[in-house]
Amino acid sequence: MKLYDGGKIITGLVIFVGLMLSPFILGMAKPGEKPDPKTDTPEIQEMEEKDRKCVEPKEFMRTSHMVFIDSWRDQALRDGDRVYENSEGKEIDISLQNTCMKCHSNKKKFCDECHNYMAVKPYCWDCHIVPEEKEGGV
Amino acid sequence: MDRRQFLKMAGLTSLISLGGFTTVELIRPGLLDASEPPAAAPGVKRLAMVIDVSKFRSEAAYKKSIEACHKIHNVPDFRNPKDEIKWLWTEKYENTFPGTEHPFVKDSVKEKPFLLMCNHCQYPPCVRVCPTKATYKREFDGLVAMDYHRCIGCRFCMAACPYGARSFNWRDPREVLKDERLDREFPTRTKGVVEKCNFCVERLAKDLIPACVEAQEGTGAMFFGDIDDPGSEVREVLRTNYTLRRKPGLGTQPNAYYIIGGV
Amino acid sequence: MLEKALTGSARYKTWMLFLAVIIGLGFLAYLRQFQTGLTLTGMSRDVSWGIYIAQFTFLVGVAASAVMLVIPYYLHDYKAFGKIVIFGEFLAIASVVMCMLFIVVDLGQPMRLLNVILHPTPGSVLFWDMIVLNGYLGLNLLCGWVVLECERKDVPPPKWIKPFIYLSIPWAISIHTVTAFLYAGLPGRHLWLTAILAPRFLASAFSSGPALLIILVFIVRKYANYDVGSKAIRTLATIVTYAAIANVFFMGLEFFTVFYSNIPSHEHALTYMFVGLHGYNNLVPFMWTSAVLAIGSILLLLTKAKKSEGILFLACIMLFTSFWIDKGIGLILGGFVPTPTEHVTEYLPKANEIMITLGVWAIGFFILSALYKIAVSVKSVPAHAEPSKEA
């Protein structure tokens, strides 16, 4: 069996496979720095030890915050219910800007740290206002 | 299938799909039900605004409300009509109530500015046309609300609104919302979405009245409340004053009322 | 069959390269708009739709007009359309693609386009427009491709394609009806709030679409040496004539109702378009050009164009231009005058916006040229001949 235009086909295949694999090859070369989000903002530091926790447990927030704040949005906007009752029965104002970011006033070291690592670009900050960064956290 | 059969089929299908009742039911559910208006369920409100134009004594009085609104909602001022965004603004009588003007309208009325905003219609055309439910009607308080996250910026609602209440973000509002012009308690919008007056939904949630009404406190120029509640202040004002609504013939049932008697 | 679009004469390649350059420039202009926002257009708070949506509306008509070939050929077995019907279907494909692109370039948040499907809203006409346009594109791709493929293999089209061809007939009517409903159901926009908007759209479509097709088959005959037959062209010219007369008649009905009823709010828009309102008159020269071209082309079509193909060609260009101005400029822009608060704001497209518009048209012509190249290549091969060599 003869392969017509074999040279061209094989060259083309090599280029194609090379292009497809390039992200992996380039990624192997320089492993990204492991993200290390900081929760040491002045606002959090000032809190009493027992109050120093998020609206829901840390593990849940870490894995599901995107779904969670999505449901916050729908509850506040669609149902007009702007108060969230958390798993401990505590009532919390639903607001990214005025609840979440009041404690996590370090968007760069908190949000961006992982988002950049994961290369996700949520468009929250196109509208919601980022707290003024206090240099260096603590 | 021959041609005759095909035409029969085509005729039959269109008859079914165009059946009058079905069509009306689809477009306005419940319109054909010959029932009494339902009694308001507990907790269900219909919020409305009443504006007594005669109580606005100066240009500054209007400005007070407009600036209060635009400041706390981060409404950008690009200082050019092409990019203009406004939630609350003024128009003359003939522009507010087109079709009712005549050459002999009282001079003071003719020149009087009227305060305009989203009418939070009971049957809002903007909600009807929105392809994503980014604009929606809150059935529990009558607000025509917006979810800016969902808006695709098709501007169908702007073509549909007969009151010109909607603005589009032709450019990034952050270009002009900087430092002291930025209210850090409220979000801005992003380029490419539509926006409008929200009846201060974020203040209502904290049991506050809309900012424009608050700015007129003590003057009796603006009233806000539940129009379905016979004992409410707005109902009392409507009972004792002759009021007008904008373009009532369009069937949108706007929830902004104007008193012009004393002008 | 696609490979047939990749080879061709130097002229074909130069033409495609030229289109590719325009597409590239249009794409750069779109990137600029994507970054900066729609402020780069002439649109404003008062005129919130401009040339993009106007082109979209016009091209839906061109797309729908393929039905004017499908009905005679498939329903009435009108053999003279045998060679031309594929050109109508392929014109529909290119037009629908342009329609969709014009919608996308008009969106403020194009990245959220899928929200229309993620949050389906059957109460919104735009939702249905999305469905009918995509469906129509699918139907025409399917029918056109299958029938042409069979022609290439010199076998009759399979039976299963027939239902799809029949379905494409009401579907074509639906795309333009639904598009008319986008406008005809809006309270407070008096120019659009008319029950005969959909019939007007169809009449305008069934004349300007086939007129464009006549222009195109003349070009195909001259440059690709493929003749669809003079009988087909003559029949098409008759369709163009009657649809054009219907469109002008419908326009006359609008004028009667608006001006005899003497209701000012209904008069404003037409007054603005044809004589100007409060000193604003940007559209006046366009609307009169459109009116003169419409009447002139109909007169030509009824008389001299019957004998001379040159005059037919000219009449079709006049008619297409006329109805493009009417629907592709006048109807959409005129609808925004006056504003809901009775002001007049005028609109002029900006350079970036025009470049994007040209880019989308170039994409349409690129697709059209490639598809026509394929069709001509397949059809030029005599029956039972080896279908490998190009003419």
Side-chain angles (χ1 to χ4, degrees):
Chain A
M1 194 175 76
K2 188 175 176 339
L3 181 63
Y4 291 100
D5 287 334
K8 280 184 197 167
I9 291 172
I10 287 163
T11 320
L13 271 176
V14 168
I15 293 173
F16 176 76
V17 171
L19 274 176
M20 288 295 114
L21 291 180
S22 62
F24 302 101
I25 296 163
L26 293 172
M28 273 196 302
K30 40 176 178 191
E33 199 110 318
K34 196 169 174 255
D36 180 23
K38 291 275 191 290
T39 52
D40 56 355
T41 64
E43 291 82 358
I44 294 174
Q45 301 273 319
E46 272 168 28
M47 288 176 159
E48 299 246 352
E49 186 66 39
K50 64 175 174 60
D51 295 330
R52 208 177 286 166
K53 55 187 171 194
C54 199
V55 293
E56 291 292 357
K58 191 169 157 188
E59 292 312 312
F60 171 79
M61 295 307 288
R62 188 174 282 167
T63 53
S64 308
H65 65 277
M66 55 302 255
V67 188
F68 180 71
I69 54 180
D70 225 43
S71 75
W72 263 26
R73 171 183 69 202
D74 288 344
Q75 186 184 335
L77 292 180
R78 303 273 154 181
D79 309 337
D81 178 6
R82 290 179 183 243
V83 178
Y84 173 74
E85 199 188 316
N86 75 2
S87 47
E88 292 176 358
K90 199 176 158 200
E91 294 198 333
I92 290 148
D93 275 346
I94 293 182
S95 173
L96 177 67
Q97 237 168 279
N98 301 328
T99 300
C100 307
M101 304 313 280
K102 281 279 140 72
C103 291
H104 298 290
S105 58
N106 55 340
K107 182 221 169 212
K108 275 188 197 142
K109 292 307 275 175
F110 185 69
C111 307
D112 296 352
E113 189 75 7
C114 296
H115 290 164
N116 289 345
Y117 181 74
M118 299 298 289
V120 290
K121 289 196 185 86
Y123 56 71
C124 315
W125 316 109
D126 290 359
C127 298
H128 293 281
I129 296 162
V130 176
E132 281 162 304
E133 296 271 342
K134 293 161 194 82
E135 272 314 307
V138 172
Chain B
M1 185 156 53
D2 67 18
R3 199 166 80 229
R4 182 187 298 269
Q5 279 173 317
F6 171 82
L7 290 174
K8 267 188 192 164
M9 281 290 289
L12 199 64
T13 11
S14 48
L15 256 183
I16 293 167
S17 62
L18 285 177
F21 182 80
T22 330
T23 317
V24 175
E25 260 310 299
L26 253 173
I27 297 170
R28 289 279 289 278
L31 187 74
L32 299 183
D33 302 346
S35 63
E36 295 287 307
V44 171
K45 296 190 278 192
R46 184 150 51 101
L47 296 172
M49 183 86 77
V50 184
I51 300 163
D52 186 345
V53 195
S54 67
K55 302 281 166 50
F56 285 88
R57 302 283 183 206
S58 64
E59 285 291 324
Y62 296 99
K63 242 181 148 180
K64 223 171 133 190
S65 282
I66 295 170
E67 277 176 2
C69 166
H70 287 185
K71 180 75 187 71
I72 65 161
H73 294 121
N74 288 322
V75 177
D77 179 7
F78 289 105
R79 295 171 199 280
N80 78 63
K82 214 178 82 60
D83 292 320
E84 186 180 30
I85 294 179
K86 54 192 178 189
W87 286 22
L88 189 64
W89 75 103
T90 57
E91 293 279 356
K92 283 185 180 174
Y93 173 77
E94 57 170 18
N95 303 103
T96 308
F97 303 102
T100 58
E101 75 277 19
H102 60 80
F104 314 111
V105 169
K106 200 172 157 190
D107 282 341
S108 56
V109 172
K110 217 185 264 181
E111 294 309 320
K112 189 81 186 170
F114 286 72
L115 206 51
L116 272 65
M117 65 189 82
C118 169
N119 285 278
H120 295 270
C121 305
Q122 197 171 353
Y123 302 114
C126 55
V127 171
R128 197 152 62 229
V129 301
C130 179
T132 62
K133 303 189 191 81
T135 288
Y136 55 99
K137 178 88 177 155
R138 306 210 317 177
E139 294 305 333
F140 47 90
D141 62 2
L143 258 57
V144 174
M146 278 199 75
D147 182 348
Y148 301 115
H149 307 86
R150 200 184 276 189
C151 175
I152 60 170
C154 70
R155 308 191 294 293
F156 204 177
C157 54
M158 294 177 78
C161 175
Y163 303 104
R166 293 178 160 267
S167 308
F168 182 74
N169 286 274
W170 302 102
R171 59 202 312 158
D172 186 354
R174 298 264 176 104
E175 286 173 31
V176 292
L177 288 170
K178 289 191 180 117
D179 309 321
E180 79 282 2
R181 295 215 54 84
L182 194 64
D183 188 298
R184 298 196 150 265
E185 297 290 304
F186 198 79
T188 65
R189 265 66 60 201
T190 179
K191 70 167 189 288
V193 300
V194 175
E195 63 179 87
K196 66 167 194 74
C197 154
N198 66 352
F199 258 11
C200 284
V201 62
E202 79 287 357
R203 289 171 57 90
L204 299 179
K206 296 180 194 158
D207 285 326
L208 298 168
I209 53 171
C212 56
V213 182
E214 191 184 74
Q216 302 301 328
E217 212 148 42
T219 63
M222 291 176 92
F223 304 91
F224 183 79
D226 179 11
I227 204 171
D228 272 352
D229 172 9
S232 66
E233 189 187 26
V234 279
R235 279 288 282 274
E236 181 57 27
V237 177
L238 291 176
R239 239 191 316 273
T240 48
N241 291 278
Y242 176 67
T243 45
L244 283 177
R245 291 191 293 178
R246 295 172 64 198
K247 304 191 181 177
L250 299 181
T252 57
Q253 303 292 355
N255 280 311
Y257 294 78
Y258 294 88
I259 304 171
I260 52 174
V263 177
Chain C
M1 280 192 295
L2 265 178
E3 76 284 353
K4 294 191 188 304
L6 301 176
T7 53
S9 63
R11 189 159 49 202
Y12 170 72
K13 283 177 179 162
T14 315
W15 167 243
M16 296 301 262
L17 188 70
F18 165 73
L19 290 177
V21 170
I22 307 280
I23 293 169
L25 290 174
F27 186 70
L28 287 178
Y30 182 67
L31 285 182
R32 229 182 121 214
Q33 179 187 293
F34 189 81
Q35 282 296 324
T36 317
L38 286 155
T39 184
L40 293 180
T41 70
M43 292 184 272
S44 64
R45 198 180 184 284
D46 291 334
V47 186
S48 48
W49 281 335
I51 196 165
Y52 298 150
I53 291 299
Q55 301 308 293
F56 151 76
T57 310
F58 178 75
L59 286 165
V60 173
V62 175
S65 72
V67 79
M68 286 290 101
L69 303 165
V70 173
I71 290 179
Y73 184 65
Y74 287 107
L75 275 193
H76 299 261
D77 202 22
Y78 185 70
K79 294 276 193 297
F81 275 180
K83 292 169 104 177
I84 198 175
V85 83
I86 190 74
F87 291 98
E89 285 167 336
F90 281 174
L91 177 59
I93 291 170
S95 305
V96 178
V97 171
M98 282 192 268
C99 289
M100 290 170 171
L101 288 172
F102 274 120
I103 294 268
V104 172
V105 298
D106 185 68
L107 291 181
Q109 285 286 341
M111 303 299 278
R112 301 182 189 167
L113 180 66
L114 284 181
N115 279 2
V116 179
I117 296 162
L118 296 173
H119 308 283
T121 314
S124 170
V125 185
L126 203 56
F127 170 76
W128 291 105
D129 218 33
M130 183 267 301
I131 290 179
V132 291
L133 282 178
N134 280 294
Y136 193 63
L137 178 62
L139 279 174
N140 273 287
L141 277 173
L142 182 73
C143 299
W145 204 257
V146 167
V147 171
L148 192 65
E149 184 80 51
C150 291
E151 196 167 323
R152 187 175 74 114
K153 292 177 182 153
D154 209 13
V155 294
K159 264 206 163 119
W160 60 263
I161 195 72
K162 275 287 163 76
F164 290 101
I165 291 172
Y166 291 143
L167 179 64
S168 79
I169 294 169
W171 206 287
I173 311 286
S174 84
I175 64 167
H176 221 17
T177 306
V178 172
T179 304
F181 284 178
L182 288 176
Y183 306 102
L186 305 181
R189 302 280 179 193
H190 297 291
L191 184 68
W192 300 337
L193 192 71
T194 163
I196 63 161
L197 197 66
R200 265 176 66 197
F201 272 23
L202 288 167
S204 151
F206 294 161
S207 49
S208 53
L212 177 60
L213 195 57
I214 292 177
I215 298 169
L216 291 172
V217 296
F218 276 138
I219 294 171
V220 167
R221 190 172 67 187
K222 180 143 196 262
Y223 293 104
N225 207 17
Y226 181 78
D227 191 1
V228 298
S230 59
K231 194 179 175 203
I233 293 175
R234 275 205 310 278
T235 310
L236 212 48
T238 311
I239 293 171
V240 170
T241 313
Y242 284 110
I245 292 171
N247 189 37
V248 171
F249 174 66
F250 286 154
M251 198 60 203
L253 298 183
E254 296 279 17
F255 270 91
F256 171 79
T257 301
V258 163
F259 289 103
Y260 194 81
S261 70
N262 199 25
I263 300 172
S265 57
H266 290 260
E267 290 174 338
H268 288 328
L270 283 179
T271 308
Y272 165 70
M273 289 159 75
F274 284 89
V275 293
L277 190 67
H278 307 321
Y280 295 96
N281 49 22
N282 269 356
L283 284 183
V284 174
F286 287 99
M287 295 322 292
W288 282 105
T289 308
S290 171
V292 169
L293 286 177
I295 303 294
S297 59
I298 289 173
L299 289 177
L300 282 181
L301 283 167
L302 287 171
T303 54
K304 292 194 174 136
K306 285 185 171 168
K307 294 181 196 92
S308 153
E309 287 199 334
I311 290 178
L312 175 62
F313 188 70
L314 175 74
C316 285
I317 289 177
M318 286 165 61
L319 191 104
F320 184 80
T321 313
S322 164
F323 290 176
W324 178 78
I325 293 173
D326 176 36
K327 229 155 100 189
I329 299 181
L331 183 86
I332 304 307
L333 302 185
F336 288 103
V337 175
T339 69
T341 45
E342 305 256 311
H343 297 288
V344 181
T345 303
E346 294 202 290
Y347 159 93
L348 271 179
K350 286 194 172 181
N352 202 71
E353 186 179 12
I354 292 172
M355 195 60 242
I356 293 174
T357 305
L358 289 177
V360 175
W361 273 96
I363 291 174
F365 274 108
F366 192 92
I367 294 171
L368 188 73
S369 306
L371 289 175
Y372 275 22
K373 173 71 177 41
I374 293 170
V376 169
S377 304
V378 169
K379 285 175 171 284
S380 299
V381 178
H384 309 294
E386 180 65 37
S388 64
K389 282 276 174 287
E390 296 284 300

